[in-house]
Amino acid sequence: MNESETFDIIVVGAGIIGVATAYHLQQNNPEKRILLLDRYLAAGQANTAMSAAAVRNMFASSTNQLLTDSTIKFIEHVQTELGFELMFEKCGYLWLLSEEQFNSEGVKLWMERMKRSGISHKVYDKHELKDMIPSLVVDFSNSEEAHLMNLKEVSYGLFGADCGVLDATRFVEFYFEEFKKISSVKPRFGVNVEKLILEADPKLDLPGEPFVWQDKRVVGVKTDKGEFRADCVVLATGAWANELLDPIGMDSRTKCKKRQMFVVHASDNEGLKQLLNTKGFNDMEVCPFIILPSAGVYFRPQIQEHGFWVGCGDKLGRAYKYIQTDEELVPESSYYENSMFPVLSAYFPDFASTRPVNSWAGGYCYSPDAIPLVYYENGVLVANGASGSGIMKADAIARIADALYRGMPEAELFGGKKIPSEALSIKKRKVETENVVI
Ligand SMILES: Cc1cc2nc3c(=O)[nH]c(=O)nc-3n(C[C@H](O)[C@H](O)[C@H](O)COP(=O)(O)OP(=O)(O)OC[C@H]3O[C@@H](n4cnc5c(N)ncnc54)[C@H](O)[C@@H]3O)c2cc1C
């Protein structure tokens, strides 16, 4: 049998959360030997690459506000002060809301909490919206189809100017390159972790241990390329957390739901070109990330491709899945055609004559309260459950994971704000439920 290799920390998963965590751990624990590994052949190839790569601090829970606001500030710092191009553009987020939605308790609380946290936001009424986005349909009084589809009329727009879009791959590259500069261990790819190694603590070397009366902890990973051991195994495996935690009897408390993205080009469509070049919301004179009032449909501008990425946060009717094969995460063109497209083209008729040129799908890793889970138990440090917003929370999650590893009571986030290190844990969880999930 091959000898197992030994490290201080093994980070499983090189998505945005894994690379950010590896970087902060190495930065603050320079003497530790940290192995970063992934079953894909490069970093950031799984759900990080499938995302809409948009970032917002407009959340209803103060925890998500803190995590995202500090991560967005870090993104700005990387791009403007460190000079690492992330293609970060502050185009803003615009929620289109009906009268009823705008006056609901949920939206009032959301706005109140943003005000309290100093999250900048602005309300537009429908006349202002029509002036700025002439192609937006705000009145469905003569549309039987819209009534049939239960589409809500637009009365208000809630806009956040500090939100935007970036290139998620560049963000991964930033952490990965910085990690490699300071790490003495070369990251490994094409390595599949088959199971976590759970052993008795302390080990008595009795046949058949660990027994029920013994304490146990994870001491490493068994992979298709051999066994690796470490004092701490970080699981940044996103939507696949259950795969490794279930077999050792740890509940990841996360569930995965498929999400899809469709690319629509604006180049051959005058109306869409104008929509893309919407003025008044940001310095780049580009349309913001827009969320429609109905059915969870949204789109973001893709400036370099001269088009839009269109998605949908469908809820009831979309199954939670234990993702086992890549085939489960393929986009469905009929879903765009029959579900998203009728909604999209009702509010923005310019989309009617154009069809997607590309599409992909990935999985959201949901926690029960839509706040990430970060905890260190039994030798495993878990960082997942970002609930569809892991890129915009990555830096904060990684700093919390590092603080937990170092046994610090608080984690200092970028910009200086602090959060109790165990606030996102399972046992000492101290968070509000998030209601603004797209
Ligand atoms: C369609 C869509 C749109 C989204 N839009 C946004 C958005 O606009 N903004 C935003 O912030 N977030 C968005 N998200 C969510 C975001 O993509 C995720 O929250 C984020 O990528 C999670 O990062 P991660 O590192 O946990 O996961 P991943 O990027 O999935 O990385 C996990 C890694 O673990 C590896 N791994 C898993 N199991 C094993 C194993 N057994 N052995 C070895 N390696 C393993 C995988 O190969 C993978 O590379 C979106 C997601 C989707 C699907």
Side-chain angles (χ1 to χ4, degrees), residues 50-52 258-264 289-292 294-301 308-314 318 331 335-336 339-341 343-344 351 356 358-361 364 438:
M50 303 303 153
S51 81
K258 175 166 145 181
R259 289 282 179 249
Q260 313 178 44
M261 218 75 240
F262 297 85
V263 179
V264 175
F289 186 117
I290 294 182
I291 304 102
L292 304 185
S294 304
V297 176
Y298 65 84
F299 59 88
R300 61 152 274 187
F308 304 92
W309 290 0
V310 188
C312 181
D314 52 359
R318 172 68 60 187
Y335 175 69
Y336 180 85
S339 284
M340 292 163 66
F341 171 74
V343 181
L344 185 63
F351 278 98
N358 194 6
S359 57
W360 58 83
Y364 271 21
I438 300 175

mmCIF file of all heavy atoms in Angstrom, residues 50-52 258-264 289-292 294-301 308-314 318 331 335-336 339-341 343-344 351 356 358-361 364 438:
data_model
loop_
_atom_site.group_PDB
_atom_site.id
_atom_site.type_symbol
_atom_site.label_atom_id
_atom_site.label_comp_id
_atom_site.label_asym_id
_atom_site.label_seq_id
_atom_site.Cartn_x
_atom_site.Cartn_y
_atom_site.Cartn_z
ATOM 1 N N MET A 50 -20.595 28.724 -13.989
ATOM 2 C CA MET A 50 -21.963 28.694 -14.528
ATOM 3 C C MET A 50 -22.781 29.894 -14.067
ATOM 4 O O MET A 50 -23.944 30.047 -14.430
ATOM 5 C CB MET A 50 -22.699 27.420 -14.057
ATOM 6 C CG MET A 50 -22.012 26.149 -14.427
ATOM 7 S SD MET A 50 -21.779 26.062 -16.206
ATOM 8 C CE MET A 50 -20.357 25.039 -16.312
ATOM 9 N N SER A 51 -22.211 30.738 -13.242
ATOM 10 C CA SER A 51 -23.012 31.776 -12.590
ATOM 11 C C SER A 51 -23.281 32.958 -13.505
ATOM 12 O O SER A 51 -22.686 33.082 -14.578
ATOM 13 C CB SER A 51 -22.273 32.275 -11.348
ATOM 14 O OG SER A 51 -21.308 33.211 -11.728
ATOM 15 N N ALA A 52 -24.147 33.830 -13.028
ATOM 16 C CA ALA A 52 -24.403 35.084 -13.742
ATOM 17 C C ALA A 52 -23.306 36.099 -13.407
ATOM 18 O O ALA A 52 -23.257 37.188 -13.980
ATOM 19 C CB ALA A 52 -25.771 35.637 -13.366
ATOM 20 N N LYS A 258 -31.258 23.050 -9.695
ATOM 21 C CA LYS A 258 -30.677 23.438 -10.987
ATOM 22 C C LYS A 258 -31.067 24.865 -11.361
ATOM 23 O O LYS A 258 -32.211 25.274 -11.164
ATOM 24 C CB LYS A 258 -31.189 22.468 -12.040
ATOM 25 C CG LYS A 258 -30.786 22.789 -13.455
ATOM 26 C CD LYS A 258 -31.068 21.580 -14.301
ATOM 27 C CE LYS A 258 -31.504 21.959 -15.675
ATOM 28 N NZ LYS A 258 -31.797 20.773 -16.487
ATOM 29 N N ARG A 259 -30.105 25.576 -11.932
ATOM 30 C CA ARG A 259 -30.342 26.938 -12.425
ATOM 31 C C ARG A 259 -29.723 27.066 -13.806
ATOM 32 O O ARG A 259 -28.644 26.518 -14.040
ATOM 33 C CB ARG A 259 -29.697 27.966 -11.480
ATOM 34 C CG ARG A 259 -30.409 28.081 -10.159
ATOM 35 C CD ARG A 259 -31.645 28.903 -10.345
ATOM 36 N NE ARG A 259 -32.424 29.053 -9.134
ATOM 37 C CZ ARG A 259 -33.609 28.495 -8.942
ATOM 38 N NH1 ARG A 259 -34.126 27.724 -9.850
ATOM 39 N NH2 ARG A 259 -34.286 28.710 -7.826
ATOM 40 N N GLN A 260 -30.370 27.834 -14.682
ATOM 41 C CA GLN A 260 -29.925 27.898 -16.075
ATOM 42 C C GLN A 260 -29.702 29.334 -16.532
ATOM 43 O O GLN A 260 -30.302 30.250 -16.005
ATOM 44 C CB GLN A 260 -30.994 27.269 -16.969
ATOM 45 C CG GLN A 260 -31.484 25.944 -16.445
ATOM 46 C CD GLN A 260 -32.574 25.330 -17.288
ATOM 47 O OE1 GLN A 260 -32.489 25.329 -18.501
ATOM 48 N NE2 GLN A 260 -33.590 24.795 -16.640
ATOM 49 N N MET A 261 -28.832 29.461 -17.524
ATOM 50 C CA MET A 261 -28.491 30.779 -18.053
ATOM 51 C C MET A 261 -28.562 30.714 -19.576
ATOM 52 O O MET A 261 -28.065 29.755 -20.177
ATOM 53 C CB MET A 261 -27.029 31.029 -17.645
ATOM 54 C CG MET A 261 -26.639 32.378 -17.233
ATOM 55 S SD MET A 261 -27.220 32.779 -15.602
ATOM 56 C CE MET A 261 -28.159 34.099 -16.068
ATOM 57 N N PHE A 262 -29.159 31.729 -20.184
ATOM 58 C CA PHE A 262 -29.296 31.779 -21.649
ATOM 59 C C PHE A 262 -28.704 33.092 -22.148
ATOM 60 O O PHE A 262 -28.990 34.152 -21.585
ATOM 61 C CB PHE A 262 -30.771 31.652 -22.046
ATOM 62 C CG PHE A 262 -31.371 30.327 -21.643
ATOM 63 C CD1 PHE A 262 -31.892 30.141 -20.367
ATOM 64 C CD2 PHE A 262 -31.365 29.255 -22.525
ATOM 65 C CE1 PHE A 262 -32.416 28.912 -19.978
ATOM 66 C CE2 PHE A 262 -31.891 28.022 -22.152
ATOM 67 C CZ PHE A 262 -32.417 27.846 -20.871
ATOM 68 N N VAL A 263 -27.904 33.007 -23.218
ATOM 69 C CA VAL A 263 -27.232 34.197 -23.745
ATOM 70 C C VAL A 263 -27.994 34.716 -24.961
ATOM 71 O O VAL A 263 -28.225 33.973 -25.919
ATOM 72 C CB VAL A 263 -25.788 33.850 -24.181
ATOM 73 C CG1 VAL A 263 -25.082 35.073 -24.757
ATOM 74 C CG2 VAL A 263 -25.007 33.273 -23.015
ATOM 75 N N VAL A 264 -28.373 35.990 -24.915
ATOM 76 C CA VAL A 264 -29.077 36.606 -26.046
ATOM 77 C C VAL A 264 -28.230 37.784 -26.535
ATOM 78 O O VAL A 264 -27.882 38.668 -25.737
ATOM 79 C CB VAL A 264 -30.479 37.097 -25.602
ATOM 80 C CG1 VAL A 264 -31.167 37.839 -26.742
ATOM 81 C CG2 VAL A 264 -31.334 35.924 -25.146
ATOM 82 N N PHE A 289 -28.597 45.247 -14.083
ATOM 83 C CA PHE A 289 -29.127 43.900 -13.861
ATOM 84 C C PHE A 289 -30.598 44.106 -13.516
ATOM 85 O O PHE A 289 -30.911 44.846 -12.589
ATOM 86 C CB PHE A 289 -28.365 43.274 -12.688
ATOM 87 C CG PHE A 289 -28.660 41.833 -12.400
ATOM 88 C CD1 PHE A 289 -27.660 40.866 -12.507
ATOM 89 C CD2 PHE A 289 -29.917 41.417 -11.988
ATOM 90 C CE1 PHE A 289 -27.914 39.530 -12.218
ATOM 91 C CE2 PHE A 289 -30.178 40.087 -11.702
ATOM 92 C CZ PHE A 289 -29.174 39.141 -11.820
ATOM 93 N N ILE A 290 -31.499 43.493 -14.283
ATOM 94 C CA ILE A 290 -32.933 43.762 -14.077
ATOM 95 C C ILE A 290 -33.675 42.497 -13.636
ATOM 96 O O ILE A 290 -33.523 41.434 -14.255
ATOM 97 C CB ILE A 290 -33.571 44.331 -15.368
ATOM 98 C CG1 ILE A 290 -32.957 45.715 -15.658
ATOM 99 C CG2 ILE A 290 -35.097 44.417 -15.249
ATOM 100 C CD1 ILE A 290 -33.534 46.423 -16.881
ATOM 101 N N ILE A 291 -34.472 42.635 -12.583
ATOM 102 C CA ILE A 291 -35.282 41.511 -12.091
ATOM 103 C C ILE A 291 -36.747 41.871 -12.340
ATOM 104 O O ILE A 291 -37.228 42.916 -11.876
ATOM 105 C CB ILE A 291 -35.045 41.254 -10.573
ATOM 106 C CG1 ILE A 291 -33.568 41.028 -10.304
ATOM 107 C CG2 ILE A 291 -35.871 40.061 -10.080
ATOM 108 C CD1 ILE A 291 -32.845 42.186 -9.734
ATOM 109 N N LEU A 292 -37.455 41.027 -13.082
ATOM 110 C CA LEU A 292 -38.860 41.302 -13.419
ATOM 111 C C LEU A 292 -39.757 41.023 -12.205
ATOM 112 O O LEU A 292 -39.393 40.222 -11.342
ATOM 113 C CB LEU A 292 -39.285 40.431 -14.604
ATOM 114 C CG LEU A 292 -38.424 40.553 -15.873
ATOM 115 C CD1 LEU A 292 -39.023 39.727 -16.998
ATOM 116 C CD2 LEU A 292 -38.310 42.003 -16.307
ATOM 117 N N SER A 294 -42.394 39.300 -12.078
ATOM 118 C CA SER A 294 -43.109 38.020 -12.136
ATOM 119 C C SER A 294 -42.193 36.868 -12.510
ATOM 120 O O SER A 294 -41.261 37.035 -13.306
ATOM 121 C CB SER A 294 -44.207 38.083 -13.197
ATOM 122 O OG SER A 294 -45.077 39.150 -12.946
ATOM 123 N N ALA A 295 -42.479 35.716 -11.941
ATOM 124 C CA ALA A 295 -41.901 34.424 -12.342
ATOM 125 C C ALA A 295 -40.398 34.271 -12.087
ATOM 126 O O ALA A 295 -39.809 33.273 -12.487
ATOM 127 C CB ALA A 295 -42.205 34.139 -13.816
ATOM 128 N N GLY A 296 -39.771 35.240 -11.458
ATOM 129 C CA GLY A 296 -38.347 35.091 -11.122
ATOM 130 C C GLY A 296 -37.395 35.305 -12.290
ATOM 131 O O GLY A 296 -36.208 34.986 -12.213
ATOM 132 N N VAL A 297 -37.908 35.861 -13.401
ATOM 133 C CA VAL A 297 -37.041 36.056 -14.580
ATOM 134 C C VAL A 297 -36.176 37.306 -14.390
ATOM 135 O O VAL A 297 -36.660 38.330 -13.884
ATOM 136 C CB VAL A 297 -37.893 36.177 -15.872
ATOM 137 C CG1 VAL A 297 -37.016 36.476 -17.086
ATOM 138 C CG2 VAL A 297 -38.691 34.890 -16.092
ATOM 139 N N TYR A 298 -34.918 37.194 -14.784
ATOM 140 C CA TYR A 298 -34.000 38.333 -14.664
ATOM 141 C C TYR A 298 -33.016 38.326 -15.825
ATOM 142 O O TYR A 298 -32.854 37.303 -16.507
ATOM 143 C CB TYR A 298 -33.235 38.287 -13.324
ATOM 144 C CG TYR A 298 -32.307 37.103 -13.173
ATOM 145 C CD1 TYR A 298 -31.015 37.125 -13.689
ATOM 146 C CD2 TYR A 298 -32.725 35.945 -12.513
ATOM 147 C CE1 TYR A 298 -30.165 36.040 -13.559
ATOM 148 C CE2 TYR A 298 -31.879 34.842 -12.385
ATOM 149 C CZ TYR A 298 -30.603 34.901 -12.904
ATOM 150 O OH TYR A 298 -29.756 33.824 -12.800
ATOM 151 N N PHE A 299 -32.376 39.468 -16.067
ATOM 152 C CA PHE A 299 -31.266 39.472 -17.035
ATOM 153 C C PHE A 299 -30.216 40.482 -16.616
ATOM 154 O O PHE A 299 -30.498 41.439 -15.896
ATOM 155 C CB PHE A 299 -31.746 39.714 -18.471
ATOM 156 C CG PHE A 299 -32.475 41.013 -18.704
ATOM 157 C CD1 PHE A 299 -31.797 42.174 -19.024
ATOM 158 C CD2 PHE A 299 -33.869 41.065 -18.617
ATOM 159 C CE1 PHE A 299 -32.474 43.369 -19.257
ATOM 160 C CE2 PHE A 299 -34.559 42.250 -18.849
ATOM 161 C CZ PHE A 299 -33.857 43.410 -19.171
ATOM 162 N N ARG A 300 -29.014 40.205 -17.037
ATOM 163 C CA ARG A 300 -27.887 41.121 -16.778
ATOM 164 C C ARG A 300 -27.248 41.508 -18.098
ATOM 165 O O ARG A 300 -27.290 40.723 -19.066
ATOM 166 C CB ARG A 300 -26.836 40.485 -15.861
ATOM 167 C CG ARG A 300 -26.195 39.240 -16.397
ATOM 168 C CD ARG A 300 -24.776 39.011 -15.874
ATOM 169 N NE ARG A 300 -23.789 39.715 -16.687
ATOM 170 C CZ ARG A 300 -22.476 39.596 -16.557
ATOM 171 N NH1 ARG A 300 -21.970 38.828 -15.628
ATOM 172 N NH2 ARG A 300 -21.633 40.246 -17.340
ATOM 173 N N PRO A 301 -26.671 42.696 -18.164
ATOM 174 C CA PRO A 301 -25.966 43.051 -19.400
ATOM 175 C C PRO A 301 -24.657 42.277 -19.487
ATOM 176 O O PRO A 301 -24.052 41.979 -18.454
ATOM 177 C CB PRO A 301 -25.687 44.551 -19.212
ATOM 178 C CG PRO A 301 -25.592 44.734 -17.730
ATOM 179 C CD PRO A 301 -26.531 43.734 -17.126
ATOM 180 N N PHE A 308 -27.074 39.981 -23.442
ATOM 181 C CA PHE A 308 -27.620 39.767 -22.101
ATOM 182 C C PHE A 308 -27.481 38.303 -21.709
ATOM 183 O O PHE A 308 -27.517 37.427 -22.576
ATOM 184 C CB PHE A 308 -29.125 40.108 -22.084
ATOM 185 C CG PHE A 308 -29.429 41.502 -22.539
ATOM 186 C CD1 PHE A 308 -29.714 41.757 -23.886
ATOM 187 C CD2 PHE A 308 -29.430 42.560 -21.643
ATOM 188 C CE1 PHE A 308 -30.001 43.040 -24.320
ATOM 189 C CE2 PHE A 308 -29.714 43.846 -22.075
ATOM 190 C CZ PHE A 308 -29.995 44.094 -23.408
ATOM 191 N N TRP A 309 -27.383 38.063 -20.421
ATOM 192 C CA TRP A 309 -27.527 36.719 -19.887
ATOM 193 C C TRP A 309 -28.873 36.711 -19.168
ATOM 194 O O TRP A 309 -29.113 37.558 -18.290
ATOM 195 C CB TRP A 309 -26.424 36.393 -18.890
ATOM 196 C CG TRP A 309 -25.062 36.218 -19.503
ATOM 197 C CD1 TRP A 309 -24.727 36.315 -20.824
ATOM 198 C CD2 TRP A 309 -23.847 35.909 -18.801
ATOM 199 N NE1 TRP A 309 -23.382 36.092 -20.993
ATOM 200 C CE2 TRP A 309 -22.819 35.836 -19.772
ATOM 201 C CE3 TRP A 309 -23.521 35.679 -17.466
ATOM 202 C CZ2 TRP A 309 -21.499 35.548 -19.440
ATOM 203 C CZ3 TRP A 309 -22.209 35.399 -17.127
ATOM 204 C CH2 TRP A 309 -21.207 35.322 -18.103
ATOM 205 N N VAL A 310 -29.718 35.755 -19.556
ATOM 206 C CA VAL A 310 -31.067 35.707 -18.990
ATOM 207 C C VAL A 310 -31.196 34.469 -18.104
ATOM 208 O O VAL A 310 -30.802 33.365 -18.498
ATOM 209 C CB VAL A 310 -32.124 35.643 -20.118
ATOM 210 C CG1 VAL A 310 -33.522 35.796 -19.541
ATOM 211 C CG2 VAL A 310 -31.864 36.709 -21.178
ATOM 212 N N GLY A 311 -31.750 34.655 -16.922
ATOM 213 C CA GLY A 311 -31.911 33.532 -15.991
ATOM 214 C C GLY A 311 -33.278 33.563 -15.339
ATOM 215 O O GLY A 311 -34.092 34.469 -15.580
ATOM 216 N N CYS A 312 -33.526 32.558 -14.507
ATOM 217 C CA CYS A 312 -34.820 32.505 -13.815
ATOM 218 C C CYS A 312 -34.655 31.788 -12.480
ATOM 219 O O CYS A 312 -34.116 30.685 -12.423
ATOM 220 C CB CYS A 312 -35.827 31.757 -14.684
ATOM 221 S SG CYS A 312 -37.454 31.675 -13.925
ATOM 222 N N GLY A 313 -35.106 32.440 -11.429
ATOM 223 C CA GLY A 313 -35.056 31.828 -10.092
ATOM 224 C C GLY A 313 -36.370 31.123 -9.813
ATOM 225 O O GLY A 313 -37.117 31.551 -8.943
ATOM 226 N N ASP A 314 -36.638 30.063 -10.593
ATOM 227 C CA ASP A 314 -37.923 29.368 -10.384
ATOM 228 C C ASP A 314 -37.904 28.627 -9.046
ATOM 229 O O ASP A 314 -36.881 28.114 -8.630
ATOM 230 C CB ASP A 314 -38.240 28.429 -11.551
ATOM 231 C CG ASP A 314 -37.098 27.474 -11.867
ATOM 232 O OD1 ASP A 314 -36.049 27.556 -11.200
ATOM 233 O OD2 ASP A 314 -37.241 26.655 -12.776
ATOM 234 N N ARG A 318 -39.597 23.283 -9.326
ATOM 235 C CA ARG A 318 -38.219 22.925 -9.689
ATOM 236 C C ARG A 318 -37.650 22.061 -8.551
ATOM 237 O O ARG A 318 -37.530 22.513 -7.415
ATOM 238 C CB ARG A 318 -37.387 24.196 -9.882
ATOM 239 C CG ARG A 318 -35.912 23.994 -10.081
ATOM 240 C CD ARG A 318 -35.516 23.327 -11.370
ATOM 241 N NE ARG A 318 -35.936 24.047 -12.573
ATOM 242 C CZ ARG A 318 -35.798 23.555 -13.808
ATOM 243 N NH1 ARG A 318 -35.261 22.370 -13.998
ATOM 244 N NH2 ARG A 318 -36.214 24.252 -14.845
ATOM 245 N N PRO A 331 -28.796 22.637 -19.736
ATOM 246 C CA PRO A 331 -29.882 23.601 -19.921
ATOM 247 C C PRO A 331 -30.987 23.035 -20.803
ATOM 248 O O PRO A 331 -30.720 22.195 -21.656
ATOM 249 C CB PRO A 331 -29.182 24.778 -20.595
ATOM 250 C CG PRO A 331 -27.983 24.197 -21.256
ATOM 251 C CD PRO A 331 -27.573 23.004 -20.458
ATOM 252 N N TYR A 335 -37.388 25.099 -21.801
ATOM 253 C CA TYR A 335 -37.663 25.881 -20.591
ATOM 254 C C TYR A 335 -37.569 27.379 -20.916
ATOM 255 O O TYR A 335 -38.412 28.177 -20.498
ATOM 256 C CB TYR A 335 -36.649 25.482 -19.511
ATOM 257 C CG TYR A 335 -36.734 26.294 -18.244
ATOM 258 C CD1 TYR A 335 -37.830 26.175 -17.396
ATOM 259 C CD2 TYR A 335 -35.703 27.163 -17.882
ATOM 260 C CE1 TYR A 335 -37.908 26.921 -16.230
ATOM 261 C CE2 TYR A 335 -35.773 27.905 -16.721
ATOM 262 C CZ TYR A 335 -36.874 27.783 -15.902
ATOM 263 O OH TYR A 335 -36.943 28.522 -14.753
ATOM 264 N N TYR A 336 -36.547 27.734 -21.707
ATOM 265 C CA TYR A 336 -36.448 29.136 -22.132
ATOM 266 C C TYR A 336 -37.671 29.492 -22.973
ATOM 267 O O TYR A 336 -38.355 30.479 -22.723
ATOM 268 C CB TYR A 336 -35.163 29.375 -22.946
ATOM 269 C CG TYR A 336 -35.040 30.827 -23.393
ATOM 270 C CD1 TYR A 336 -34.483 31.778 -22.542
ATOM 271 C CD2 TYR A 336 -35.529 31.238 -24.626
ATOM 272 C CE1 TYR A 336 -34.417 33.105 -22.918
ATOM 273 C CE2 TYR A 336 -35.464 32.577 -25.010
ATOM 274 C CZ TYR A 336 -34.901 33.499 -24.145
ATOM 275 O OH TYR A 336 -34.853 34.828 -24.509
ATOM 276 N N SER A 339 -41.222 28.838 -20.801
ATOM 277 C CA SER A 339 -41.398 29.404 -19.458
ATOM 278 C C SER A 339 -40.834 30.820 -19.334
ATOM 279 O O SER A 339 -41.521 31.730 -18.880
ATOM 280 C CB SER A 339 -40.721 28.505 -18.418
ATOM 281 O OG SER A 339 -41.504 27.367 -18.192
ATOM 282 N N MET A 340 -39.583 31.009 -19.734
ATOM 283 C CA MET A 340 -38.954 32.314 -19.507
ATOM 284 C C MET A 340 -39.321 33.323 -20.589
ATOM 285 O O MET A 340 -39.628 34.484 -20.310
ATOM 286 C CB MET A 340 -37.423 32.165 -19.458
ATOM 287 C CG MET A 340 -36.954 31.404 -18.233
ATOM 288 S SD MET A 340 -35.268 30.794 -18.410
ATOM 289 C CE MET A 340 -34.338 32.308 -18.477
ATOM 290 N N PHE A 341 -39.247 32.859 -21.830
ATOM 291 C CA PHE A 341 -39.416 33.765 -22.958
ATOM 292 C C PHE A 341 -40.760 34.511 -22.962
ATOM 293 O O PHE A 341 -40.790 35.742 -23.164
ATOM 294 C CB PHE A 341 -39.212 32.968 -24.264
ATOM 295 C CG PHE A 341 -39.565 33.718 -25.494
ATOM 296 C CD1 PHE A 341 -38.741 34.730 -25.957
ATOM 297 C CD2 PHE A 341 -40.741 33.444 -26.172
ATOM 298 C CE1 PHE A 341 -39.083 35.446 -27.093
ATOM 299 C CE2 PHE A 341 -41.094 34.160 -27.301
ATOM 300 C CZ PHE A 341 -40.262 35.170 -27.760
ATOM 301 N N VAL A 343 -42.554 35.498 -20.526
ATOM 302 C CA VAL A 343 -42.524 36.519 -19.467
ATOM 303 C C VAL A 343 -41.605 37.670 -19.906
ATOM 304 O O VAL A 343 -41.967 38.850 -19.870
ATOM 305 C CB VAL A 343 -42.004 35.913 -18.130
ATOM 306 C CG1 VAL A 343 -41.996 36.964 -17.030
ATOM 307 C CG2 VAL A 343 -42.839 34.707 -17.734
ATOM 308 N N LEU A 344 -40.416 37.284 -20.346
ATOM 309 C CA LEU A 344 -39.420 38.268 -20.750
ATOM 310 C C LEU A 344 -39.950 39.172 -21.861
ATOM 311 O O LEU A 344 -39.838 40.408 -21.788
ATOM 312 C CB LEU A 344 -38.190 37.491 -21.246
ATOM 313 C CG LEU A 344 -36.955 38.264 -21.621
ATOM 314 C CD1 LEU A 344 -36.394 38.985 -20.415
ATOM 315 C CD2 LEU A 344 -35.889 37.313 -22.190
ATOM 316 N N PHE A 351 -37.187 41.412 -26.977
ATOM 317 C CA PHE A 351 -36.598 40.072 -26.901
ATOM 318 C C PHE A 351 -37.328 39.085 -27.811
ATOM 319 O O PHE A 351 -36.830 37.996 -28.073
ATOM 320 C CB PHE A 351 -36.638 39.538 -25.455
ATOM 321 C CG PHE A 351 -35.512 40.044 -24.583
ATOM 322 C CD1 PHE A 351 -35.697 41.121 -23.726
ATOM 323 C CD2 PHE A 351 -34.258 39.437 -24.630
ATOM 324 C CE1 PHE A 351 -34.657 41.578 -22.918
ATOM 325 C CE2 PHE A 351 -33.216 39.891 -23.822
ATOM 326 C CZ PHE A 351 -33.414 40.968 -22.973
ATOM 327 N N PRO A 356 -31.754 32.635 -27.907
ATOM 328 C CA PRO A 356 -30.436 32.444 -27.289
ATOM 329 C C PRO A 356 -29.409 31.827 -28.240
ATOM 330 O O PRO A 356 -29.762 30.984 -29.066
ATOM 331 C CB PRO A 356 -30.716 31.477 -26.138
ATOM 332 C CG PRO A 356 -32.168 31.571 -25.874
ATOM 333 C CD PRO A 356 -32.818 31.917 -27.180
ATOM 334 N N ASN A 358 -26.490 30.736 -26.801
ATOM 335 C CA ASN A 358 -25.703 29.857 -25.935
ATOM 336 C C ASN A 358 -26.480 29.655 -24.635
ATOM 337 O O ASN A 358 -27.333 30.490 -24.285
ATOM 338 C CB ASN A 358 -24.337 30.509 -25.649
ATOM 339 C CG ASN A 358 -23.339 29.539 -25.055
ATOM 340 O OD1 ASN A 358 -23.619 28.345 -24.945
ATOM 341 N ND2 ASN A 358 -22.184 30.040 -24.655
ATOM 342 N N SER A 359 -26.177 28.601 -23.919
ATOM 343 C CA SER A 359 -26.847 28.366 -22.630
ATOM 344 C C SER A 359 -26.018 27.398 -21.797
ATOM 345 O O SER A 359 -25.180 26.676 -22.342
ATOM 346 C CB SER A 359 -28.239 27.785 -22.868
ATOM 347 O OG SER A 359 -28.146 26.604 -23.615
ATOM 348 N N TRP A 360 -26.234 27.408 -20.505
ATOM 349 C CA TRP A 360 -25.568 26.445 -19.620
ATOM 350 C C TRP A 360 -26.397 26.310 -18.347
ATOM 351 O O TRP A 360 -27.350 27.075 -18.135
ATOM 352 C CB TRP A 360 -24.132 26.902 -19.294
ATOM 353 C CG TRP A 360 -24.027 28.252 -18.642
ATOM 354 C CD1 TRP A 360 -24.176 28.533 -17.313
ATOM 355 C CD2 TRP A 360 -23.750 29.499 -19.291
ATOM 356 N NE1 TRP A 360 -23.998 29.883 -17.096
ATOM 357 C CE2 TRP A 360 -23.741 30.498 -18.291
ATOM 358 C CE3 TRP A 360 -23.498 29.876 -20.617
ATOM 359 C CZ2 TRP A 360 -23.505 31.853 -18.567
ATOM 360 C CZ3 TRP A 360 -23.274 31.215 -20.889
ATOM 361 C CH2 TRP A 360 -23.263 32.193 -19.872
ATOM 362 N N ALA A 361 -26.027 25.340 -17.531
ATOM 363 C CA ALA A 361 -26.767 25.145 -16.277
ATOM 364 C C ALA A 361 -25.813 24.750 -15.165
ATOM 365 O O ALA A 361 -24.738 24.201 -15.407
ATOM 366 C CB ALA A 361 -27.823 24.065 -16.454
ATOM 367 N N TYR A 364 -27.608 25.673 -7.630
ATOM 368 C CA TYR A 364 -27.544 26.513 -6.425
ATOM 369 C C TYR A 364 -27.415 25.569 -5.231
ATOM 370 O O TYR A 364 -28.134 24.572 -5.174
ATOM 371 C CB TYR A 364 -28.856 27.282 -6.233
ATOM 372 C CG TYR A 364 -28.980 28.631 -6.900
ATOM 373 C CD1 TYR A 364 -28.186 29.007 -7.969
ATOM 374 C CD2 TYR A 364 -29.943 29.536 -6.441
ATOM 375 C CE1 TYR A 364 -28.346 30.250 -8.568
ATOM 376 C CE2 TYR A 364 -30.106 30.775 -7.038
ATOM 377 C CZ TYR A 364 -29.311 31.124 -8.096
ATOM 378 O OH TYR A 364 -29.488 32.338 -8.696
ATOM 379 N N ILE A 438 -32.746 35.389 -5.459
ATOM 380 C CA ILE A 438 -33.207 35.398 -6.865
ATOM 381 C C ILE A 438 -33.082 33.980 -7.422
ATOM 382 O O ILE A 438 -32.048 33.355 -7.302
ATOM 383 C CB ILE A 438 -32.357 36.359 -7.724
ATOM 384 C CG1 ILE A 438 -32.471 37.775 -7.160
ATOM 385 C CG2 ILE A 438 -32.827 36.353 -9.162
ATOM 386 C CD1 ILE A 438 -31.577 38.794 -7.846
#
